[in-house]
Amino acid sequence: MLMAKIRPTAGRSIDDFLTIEETAQRSGYAEQYVRRMAKTGMIHAVKRGHFWLVERASLEAYIKAAQRTDDKRYGPRDADEQ
């Protein structure tokens, strides 16, 4: 399973984070899958109240790692595949 390197959030700006909806739009992953990745630690995210905030750098690292593997299950879907 791909895992992004988890870094502490101290000293981070709100601009370093994306909402689940923004993450899904930018990455091509479904919102439900993004939530699952956040909950299981596959990407670094923090929960504030009812909202998940995904660390932008963690998402980018995960996508790069997914693109390097031959296993297409981990990569985001193209718009025509959804």
Side-chain angles (χ1 to χ4, degrees), residues 36-73:
R36 185 179 327 144
M37 290 192 308
K39 288 177 186 178
T40 60
M42 294 167 68
I43 55 175
H44 184 249
V46 292
K47 191 168 186 183
R48 298 290 185 237
H50 295 293
F51 299 98
W52 281 98
L53 296 173
V54 177
E55 184 182 287
R56 186 185 311 259
S58 176
L59 176 67
E60 291 170 0
Y62 182 86
I63 291 172
K64 284 181 184 177
Q67 290 171 342
R68 285 192 301 262
T69 183
D70 290 334
D71 191 346
K72 298 302 178 192
R73 292 178 295 171

Side-chain angles (χ1 to χ4, degrees), residues 25-45:
Q25 289 174 348
R26 290 174 184 242
S27 67
Y29 293 114
E31 288 182 22
Q32 183 178 6
Y33 185 66
V34 173
R35 282 188 194 89
R36 185 179 327 144
M37 290 192 308
K39 288 177 186 178
T40 60
M42 294 167 68
I43 55 175
H44 184 249

Side-chain angles (χ1 to χ4, degrees), residues 3-38:
M3 299 289 274
K5 185 174 180 180
I6 296 177
R7 287 171 251 132
T9 58
R12 299 268 183 192
S13 159
I14 192 68
D15 295 331
D16 295 331
F17 293 89
L18 301 168
T19 65
I20 293 292
E21 294 79 16
E22 291 171 330
T23 302
Q25 289 174 348
R26 290 174 184 242
S27 67
Y29 293 114
E31 288 182 22
Q32 183 178 6
Y33 185 66
V34 173
R35 282 188 194 89
R36 185 179 327 144
M37 290 192 308

